[in-house]
Amino acid sequence: MENIEIETNAETMDNSVIFHVIKDVMGFILYMHQQIPSVFQDIGLEFDALKDEYHELEMDLAQAESNASVRRKHMGKIREVKGKIRRLEKLMYTVSGLESALKLIISEIPSLESFILVVGASPIRPQHVYELCFSRGKSILRDAIDFTKTKAAEGLSRKAIRALIAKGVGSDSYPGSTKLFLLVKAPSSFTLPPHFLPKRGFRYSKKITPVRLQLKCKSQNLKMDIPDSACQTSSSINLGDSTSNEFIWFQCRQVVKGLAFATPTEE
């Protein structure tokens, strides 16, 4: 197990911070493993720009002269832009669905601390495994969860990504499309069928050495060493405990499939 300890100056980590850290780390992992051409934020901007360009081209075509060559040129550009939109559309839809599912489970179970991101053909046959373990710090009562990204979330995400870069994440990747799976450890009594499936016996190959991010709050009253039970590996799940308080892994139904994107010289 490769453990990476990351500390925030905040005394607590709320659900919004945890959501944004997972989202940013997920986007970084996909990018570093050559599954997306850029990070989520840049892809979102590109997608919006392509849609705007498509609508402008349609308007230009409607106002274009009857000259056949001019219209052919416009139609060719429209087809090109439409192809790029279709290429990104499924990815944007899947990522949006995964984010919605993650927000739902975080809202339903505010004590979640353990998450796994698996890169590979399937969760049990991964190429890479990343565990994210959050030690929340002091408990603070808040109103309804606001998932707006805060400076605290931005700072913690940057620390997590810098730590992954230092570990050489993505350096041994190879071209080719694969998938990313999200698993969350939650009480076995949890039910959210449209979004998560229980994986009580989940285990991945012992040949894989997972990278574990341990994200902690800086607080005098917080024990800095996370116990093993807080973020267990798949091989340490106690399958004999069938009580409703047993924590098991749940797999998100939304699976992000990488794009087989071309380099600029290949387009």
Side-chain angles (χ1 to χ4, degrees):
M1 180 74 68
E2 297 184 41
N3 292 306
I4 304 174
E5 293 191 0
I6 301 168
E7 187 177 288
T8 175
N9 291 326
E11 294 187 348
T12 187
M13 262 187 279
D14 61 24
N15 290 324
S16 179
V17 169
I18 291 174
F19 166 76
H20 284 289
V21 170
I22 295 172
K23 174 186 173 182
D24 290 347
V25 168
M26 178 175 64
F28 173 75
I29 288 171
L30 283 168
Y31 174 64
M32 293 302 290
H33 288 298
Q34 303 176 41
Q35 296 305 303
I36 55 177
S38 56
V39 295
F40 284 156
Q41 183 178 2
D42 292 343
I43 291 177
L45 293 173
E46 179 186 356
F47 186 63
D48 292 338
L50 284 170
K51 290 191 292 185
D52 291 341
E53 184 180 0
Y54 181 79
H55 290 309
E56 289 176 5
L57 286 168
E58 281 191 319
M59 292 177 63
D60 290 343
L61 181 63
Q63 299 172 5
E65 301 175 358
S66 57
N67 187 299
S69 63
V70 173
R71 293 185 66 84
R72 281 198 300 271
K73 184 178 180 181
H74 271 79
M75 288 298 296
K77 186 63 176 177
I78 286 175
R79 284 193 295 269
E80 178 186 345
V81 173
K82 191 173 183 179
K84 291 180 179 179
I85 290 174
R86 285 178 175 173
R87 184 163 161 263
L88 292 178
E89 196 167 35
K90 187 174 182 180
L91 173 67
M92 299 299 296
Y93 175 81
T94 304
V95 170
S96 176
L98 190 149
E99 290 177 5
S100 297
L102 183 57
K103 286 180 180 178
L104 278 172
I105 195 170
I106 287 176
S107 301
E108 289 281 335
I109 311 173
S111 60
L112 293 177
E113 296 182 342
S114 306
F115 304 82
I116 285 181
L117 297 172
V118 175
V119 178
S122 73
I124 60 175
R125 291 188 296 275
Q127 297 171 12
H128 305 276
V129 175
Y130 301 90
E131 296 190 15
L132 288 83
C133 310
F134 295 89
S135 186
R136 292 171 170 267
K138 292 183 178 179
S139 178
I140 298 176
L141 293 177
R142 284 189 171 89
D143 296 330
I145 298 174
D146 178 7
F147 283 102
T148 302
K149 194 171 188 178
T150 62
K151 289 184 178 180
E154 289 180 0
L156 194 56
S157 289
R158 283 197 298 268
K159 286 184 178 181
I161 289 172
R162 283 199 297 266
L164 290 172
I165 291 173
K167 280 288 185 180
V169 169
S171 60
D172 58 346
S173 294
Y174 56 90
S177 180
T178 187
K179 300 174 183 177
L180 182 140
F181 304 85
L182 169 68
L183 292 102
V184 182
K185 184 170 278 190
S188 58
S189 56
F190 170 71
T191 56
L192 198 60
H195 302 284
F196 288 90
L197 293 172
K199 296 292 181 180
R200 185 179 293 274
F202 170 64
R203 291 179 175 85
Y204 50 78
S205 172
K206 293 181 180 179
K207 297 179 181 179
I208 299 298
T209 301
V211 176
R212 176 191 285 180
L213 297 181
Q214 294 184 336
L215 301 108
K216 308 174 181 180
C217 294
K218 187 175 182 179
S219 173
Q220 293 180 347
N221 297 324
L222 176 65
K223 184 178 179 181
M224 297 310 297
D225 293 327
I226 298 180
D228 292 338
S229 60
C231 191
Q232 296 171 320
T233 62
S234 57
S235 61
S236 63
I237 298 173
N238 181 4
L239 302 180
D241 182 4
S242 60
T243 66
S244 60
N245 292 328
E246 175 197 3
F247 273 60
I248 65 171
W249 291 108
F250 287 80
Q251 180 183 325
C252 183
R253 286 180 179 270
Q254 294 287 351
V255 177
V256 181
K257 185 176 181 180
L259 298 175
F261 62 91
T263 61
T265 57
E266 295 173 322
E267 292 182 343

